Amino acid sequence: MTRGARVSGLAVATALSRVLGFIRASVWAAAFGLHVVGNALTLANTLPSIVYTLLAGGAISSVFVPQLIRAAANGRQEGDAFAGRLLSVALLVLLPATVIGVLLAPWIARLYTGGAWPPRDTALLAAFLAWCLPQIPLYGIFAVLSQVLLARDRPGPMMWAPVANNVVGIAAAVPFLFLGGIATGPDANAAETVSPGEVLAIAGGATAGVLVQVLVLLPALRAAGVRVRPRRDLRAAGIGRSLRLAGWTVLFVAANQIAYSITAIVANAAGAAADTADHAAGLAQYTNANMIMLVPHAIIAVSVVTAAFPRMARAAVEHDVDRVARAATEALVRSGRLLLPVACALLITAPLITRLLFPGNPGPDTWFMGLVLATFAPAVVIYSFQFVLVRTLHAWENTRGPAMVQIVIALIQSLLAVLASLLLPAGYVVVGLGAAFSLAYTVGLVCTARLIVRTTGRRPLRGAAGALLRPALAAATAALGAGAVVAVSGVGPATDLWHSALVLVGAVGVYVAVFIVAAGHLSKGRPWTTP
C-alpha cells in the first residue's frame, strides 16, 4: 500500500469515528442537556478520556514505539515478551489507581466542581464517576496494544476501533430521548431526576463502549501473529529504559491534568453562576467546542503522523537525522495545507456549525457554544503542529523536553483560566478558557520548535513555513468573503435551524470559491487581486 493510500485510509477511519462522535455528543446533549446532568456526565466521562487522548496522542504510547521496534528486531518472541511487560506495567499502575479513584469519587467530584455545585449535583457527578473511571485501565490497555500494532506498521485497527466505541455510546443514550424524565435544563432538582439505574445505564454504557474498543483490537493482534500477555519478569533488559523514558511523560500527563482540572473548576463555577442567564455557559460548552476543534486535528494531523511515525522512529533508531527532519517537515506541510483553510473557515462559521450539530438544544445555547469554538479555531493549526513536533522528539526518545514544554503550557493555560474567571462575566468565562487554550499552545509551539533545533540542528517548522504561506493567504482572503456573507445575513442566537443551515451553505460556498481563485492566482505568482 502506498503512503498516500495509507494516510487516506486512516483519515477515512478517523472521519467516520469523529462523525459518530458528533452524533453521540448531539444525542447526549439532547437527552441530558447542557446544564446540570449534561455537565456532570461530560466531566465524569472526560476524566478517563483525557488520559486516553494523551496516551493515543503521543504522551506515553509514542515513547514505546521505538522500544518495541528495537525489541522486535531481536526476534518475534522477544518483541512479544517486551510488549507483555509493558502491558503488565500499565495494569500495575492503572488498576490500583482506578480502584482508589472509584473509592474517592465523592472527593474527586467536589475537587473538580470547586465546591460551587450543590450537594445533590455533586453526588450525581460522583455516581457517574464511579462507573466511568474504570475506563482508565481499558484506555491504557488500548494504548499499549495499539502501539504494538503501530510498531508492526499496522495502524489501521487502532484508528477504526473508536468507531465501535461511539456506536455503543449512541446506543446507550438513544433510549433516553424517548423515555424522557431526565431534566435537561438548569432545574434546581435536575440531579434528582436521574435514578441509580439510569446512572448505571448512562455511565455504564459509556464504559462498555471503551471495552468494545479494546476487544476490536484482538483479532488484528492475532492476524499479525502477536501474542501479548501480562508477564512477571519486569526486571528484564530494556523495560527499565522504557520506564525511565515514560517517567517524563507521566510529568507530561500530570501537567495536562492539572491544567484541565483548573479549567474544569473554573468552567463549572462559571456555569453554576450563569445558569440563570440566557444560555448555558459551563463545562459542557467548553468540552463540546474542544471536541469539534479536535476533529480536523484527528482526521488530518493524527492520520498523517500515525502513518509516518513508524518510519520516523526507524530513522531515529538508525540515527538518520535528515530522514527524521524531512519526515517532520513533510508532516507539517501535508497537515498545514488542509488545516489552515479549515481553521479560517471555522473562525467565521463556528456558531452556525454548532447550531446544526446540536439541533436538539436551544438556539442560544448552541450559538454560545459556537463563540467558544471560534476561540479554539487558531488551535486547529497550532495544536496540530505542536503534536507533529512532539512526536518528532518522541521518535528520538526525547521525553524530557516535551514534558518541560507541557509544564509551561499548563502554567500559562491555568493562569489565563484564573484571569478569565476574575475579569470576564460568568456567562462568558468559557469563551476566555477557549482563548487561553489557543494562546498557551502558541507559546508551547514556539518552545518546542526551539527544542527541535537544539536536539537535531534542523528547523522543520521553518522549512514548512514557505510552503504554507500561499495557502494561508488564500484562506485569510476566503475568510473575509465568508465573513461578509455571515454579517449580511443577520443570523444570531434566535435564528431558526433552516435559516442557519442556508447561511452556512452560502458562507462555505463563497469561502471555497474565493479560496480556489485566490490559491490559483497565488500559485501562478500573481496577486490574488489580479483580474
Side-chain angles (χ1 to χ4, degrees):
M1 182 182 294
T2 65
R3 189 184 310 166
R6 171 168 293 187
V7 172
S8 298
L10 297 178
V12 168
T14 305
L16 179 58
S17 174
R18 293 294 171 166
V19 167
L20 290 172
F22 276 136
I23 295 174
R24 182 176 74 169
S26 182
V27 170
W28 282 22
F32 312 121
L34 296 170
H35 293 270
V36 176
V37 179
N39 279 328
L41 178 59
T42 297
L43 180 55
N45 194 58
T46 298
L47 288 179
S49 65
I50 283 291
V51 176
Y52 161 69
T53 300
L54 293 171
L55 292 174
I60 291 179
S61 55
S62 64
V63 177
F64 294 152
V65 172
Q67 303 291 314
L68 287 163
I69 290 173
R70 189 175 287 111
N74 296 325
R76 171 160 294 186
Q77 185 175 358
E78 178 58 29
D80 290 352
F82 187 82
R85 295 181 193 112
L86 292 180
L87 179 61
S88 299
V89 171
L91 293 175
L92 285 173
V93 173
L94 297 177
L95 284 175
T98 301
V99 172
I100 293 171
V102 170
L103 294 175
L104 298 180
W107 288 270
I108 296 173
R110 283 197 287 272
L111 171 66
Y112 273 88
T113 57
W117 285 17
R120 55 180 173 269
D121 296 351
T122 306
L124 176 63
L125 171 58
F128 279 144
L129 279 171
W131 289 103
C132 286
L133 287 176
Q135 296 174 23
I136 293 177
L138 294 175
Y139 278 132
I141 295 170
F142 177 80
V144 173
L145 298 183
S146 294
Q147 299 317 300
V148 172
L149 288 170
L150 185 57
R152 302 294 175 94
D153 216 9
R154 298 192 181 198
M158 63 180 279
M159 305 297 278
W160 284 99
V163 171
N165 183 355
N166 285 321
V167 169
V168 174
I170 294 168
V174 163
F176 292 94
L177 291 174
F178 304 99
L179 294 174
I182 294 179
T184 59
D187 303 2
N189 297 318
E192 298 175 357
T193 65
V194 186
S195 69
E198 289 171 331
V199 168
L200 171 59
I202 296 167
T207 300
V210 184
L211 175 61
V212 171
Q213 180 172 307
V214 174
L215 296 177
V216 167
L217 295 183
L218 299 183
L221 289 166
R222 285 196 295 270
V226 179
R227 298 291 182 267
V228 182
R229 297 180 178 84
R231 297 175 64 95
R232 297 181 180 179
D233 54 339
L234 302 184
R235 295 182 178 275
I239 194 68
R241 173 177 169 77
S242 293
L243 295 180
R244 285 192 297 272
L245 290 171
W248 286 107
T249 62
V250 171
L251 184 61
F252 184 107
V253 173
N256 273 280
Q257 191 58 48
I258 291 171
Y260 176 76
S261 299
I262 293 173
T263 298
I265 290 170
V266 170
N268 281 320
D275 256 345
T276 56
D278 59 356
H279 59 261
L283 182 64
Q285 299 283 58
Y286 176 89
T287 301
N288 285 325
N290 181 263
M291 176 193 70
I292 297 170
M293 180 276 292
L294 289 173
V295 169
H297 161 74
I299 293 175
I300 298 169
V302 172
S303 298
V304 169
V305 175
T306 299
F309 189 70
R311 177 168 47 93
M312 193 183 295
R314 287 190 180 89
V317 168
E318 297 168 6
H319 304 287
D320 192 333
V321 177
D322 290 332
R323 278 173 57 201
V324 176
R326 283 196 302 271
T329 301
E330 179 184 333
L332 289 169
V333 172
R334 297 182 70 176
S335 299
R337 283 176 174 165
L338 297 174
L339 290 172
L340 283 166
V342 170
C344 289
L346 192 63
L347 181 65
I348 301 300
T349 61
L352 296 170
I353 291 172
T354 52
R355 183 74 181 92
L356 297 183
L357 287 177
F358 295 88
N361 296 92
D365 290 355
T366 56
W367 186 268
F368 179 76
M369 187 191 300
L371 299 181
V372 181
L373 176 59
T375 64
F376 276 113
V380 170
V381 176
I382 295 164
Y383 185 81
S384 294
F385 281 10
Q386 168 74 355
F387 172 79
V388 173
L389 296 186
V390 168
R391 293 287 272 194
T392 303
L393 289 170
H394 284 168
W396 286 107
E397 300 179 84
N398 181 343
T399 56
R400 181 179 181 275
M404 295 295 102
V405 172
Q406 199 61 38
I407 290 175
V408 173
I409 293 173
L411 287 173
I412 294 173
Q413 186 178 352
S414 300
L415 176 61
L416 292 176
V418 173
L419 288 176
S421 70
L422 297 175
L423 301 178
L424 297 177
Y428 288 88
V429 167
V430 290
V431 175
L433 296 180
F437 182 95
S438 295
L439 288 171
Y441 273 92
T442 300
V443 175
L445 178 62
V446 173
C447 294
T448 307
R450 292 175 64 87
L451 185 59
I452 288 278
V453 174
R454 288 202 299 269
T455 301
T456 67
R458 305 296 189 273
R459 301 176 183 270
L461 193 59
R462 179 181 294 182
L468 296 175
L469 178 60
R470 287 180 293 184
L473 291 174
T477 305
L480 293 176
V485 172
V486 174
V488 170
S489 70
V491 291
T495 304
D496 64 80
L497 193 64
W498 292 109
H499 187 189
S500 299
L502 288 174
V503 174
L504 178 60
V505 170
V508 171
V510 169
Y511 184 92
V512 172
V514 174
F515 180 82
I516 291 173
V517 172
H521 280 291
L522 289 168
S523 66
K524 296 175 183 176
R526 296 184 297 177
W528 55 266
T529 52
T530 301

